[in-house]
């Protein structure tokens, strides 16, 4: 029941003007970040848009994050002028990722990273293992479910160079790629989520006090 309660509480957030305003800002940020990637190797690309989606999931839960991914995917498609036809199947992948972020990160306390030294940074992680494992669990689940299985399956369904005979080969290749990316993406989330939550609390708690 607690699991489904998170979806209901998240849906209630949509009644708040604050939620709509902050979510709209983060959707815009996600669309901008979609165009920014780093490619350290020919087969590896590091994107940043997931940081904005994870922030929405953390602040407002799975329902809001899932709906935000619909807007992000549609807007991002038209802004990027992709040659491939728009497919709701890949929007479903994005929505699933947003929902997973909301399930794992809604109402959790992010880790405050101590960047004074590597030893202090890892000590801070060790002192906040429950929060770290929620971040790790969210990203691992998304990489496995969305990036590896759903994306590969839908690419085969859409005829994007994957046939049933090579499906599991592609799954293996994507698994290795996402396993390599996992530590980097988790580190990015650890570094990004605390400033987002701190800024959010500073702005809205201050306004509440002033009133």
């Amino acid at each position: 029941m607690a699991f489904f309660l998170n979806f209901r509480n998240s849906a209630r957030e949509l009644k708040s003007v604050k939620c709509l305003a902050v979510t709209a800002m983060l959707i815009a940020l996600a669309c901008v970040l979609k165009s920014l990637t780093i490619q350290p190797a020919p087969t590896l690309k590091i994107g940043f848009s997931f940081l904005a989606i994870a922030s929405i999931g953390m602040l407002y839960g799975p329902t809001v994050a899932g709906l935000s991914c619909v807007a992000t995917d549609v807007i991002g498609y038209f802004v990027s002028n992709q040659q491939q036809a728009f497919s709701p199947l890949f929007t479903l992948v994005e929505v699933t990722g947003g929902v997973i972020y909301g399930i794992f990160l809604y109402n959790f306390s992010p880790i405050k990273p101590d960047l004074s030294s590597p030893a202090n940074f890892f000590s801070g992680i060790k002192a906040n293992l429950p929060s770290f494992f929620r971040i790790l669990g969210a990203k691992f689940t998304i990489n496995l479910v969305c990036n590896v299985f759903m994306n590969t399956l839908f690419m085969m369904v859409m005829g994007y160079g994957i046939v049933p005979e090579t499906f599991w080969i592609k799954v293996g290749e994507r698994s290795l790629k996402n396993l390599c990316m996992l530590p980097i993406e988790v580190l990015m989330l650890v570094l990004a989520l605390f400033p987002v939550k701190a800024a959010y609390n500073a702005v809205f708690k201050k306004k509440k006090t002033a009133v």
Side-chain angles (χ1 to χ4, degrees):
M1 292 301 295
F3 176 81
F4 294 105
L5 187 61
N6 279 338
F7 283 86
R8 187 176 69 178
N9 291 339
S10 177
R12 288 175 176 172
E13 300 273 15
L14 293 168
K15 299 178 181 179
S16 167
V17 175
K18 174 179 68 177
C19 168
L20 297 177
V22 173
T23 301
M25 181 182 67
L26 289 171
I27 288 172
L29 178 61
C31 291
V32 172
L33 293 176
K34 273 183 176 288
S35 62
L36 301 177
T37 58
I38 297 175
Q39 192 165 358
T43 58
L44 286 180
K45 286 186 179 181
I46 302 175
F48 301 95
S49 61
F50 73 95
L51 298 174
I53 301 302
S55 298
I56 296 173
M58 175 182 66
L59 296 175
Y60 297 118
T63 305
V64 178
L67 293 174
S68 299
C69 287
V70 177
T72 302
D73 190 59
V74 173
I75 295 171
Y77 174 82
F78 288 108
V79 169
S80 62
N81 292 319
Q82 296 183 27
Q83 299 299 319
Q84 295 176 341
F86 177 80
S87 172
L89 291 177
F90 295 112
T91 303
L92 179 60
V93 176
E94 299 286 340
V95 170
T96 303
V99 170
I100 292 171
Y101 277 126
I103 290 171
F104 277 89
L105 303 181
Y106 190 31
N107 289 328
F108 101 122
S109 298
I111 301 168
K112 182 179 181 179
D114 186 346
L115 302 178
S116 58
S117 70
N120 289 338
F121 177 79
F122 288 108
S123 294
I125 298 292
K126 187 177 179 180
N128 295 276
L129 283 179
S131 293
F132 176 76
F133 282 125
R134 287 178 72 169
I135 294 173
L136 177 62
K139 201 69 194 74
F140 176 81
T141 304
I142 288 170
N143 284 9
L144 180 64
V145 174
C146 300
N147 298 351
V148 174
F149 285 104
M150 292 182 71
N151 262 330
T152 308
L153 177 62
F154 293 159
M155 288 182 72
M156 183 180 69
V157 171
M158 297 296 294
Y160 292 158
I162 299 178
V163 295
E165 291 78 10
T166 62
F167 176 78
W168 290 109
I169 296 174
K170 292 296 182 181
V171 165
E173 292 174 354
R174 286 176 173 268
S175 297
L176 180 60
K177 172 186 172 182
N178 280 274
L179 188 62
C180 292
M181 292 296 301
L182 183 63
I184 300 172
E185 293 169 333
V186 169
L187 176 61
M188 292 167 66
L189 286 168
V190 169
L191 295 175
L193 291 180
F194 179 81
V196 171
K197 190 67 173 283
Y200 180 85
N201 288 338
V203 170
F204 290 106
K205 283 188 176 180
K206 183 177 180 181
K207 285 186 176 182
K208 187 175 180 180
T209 302
V211 172

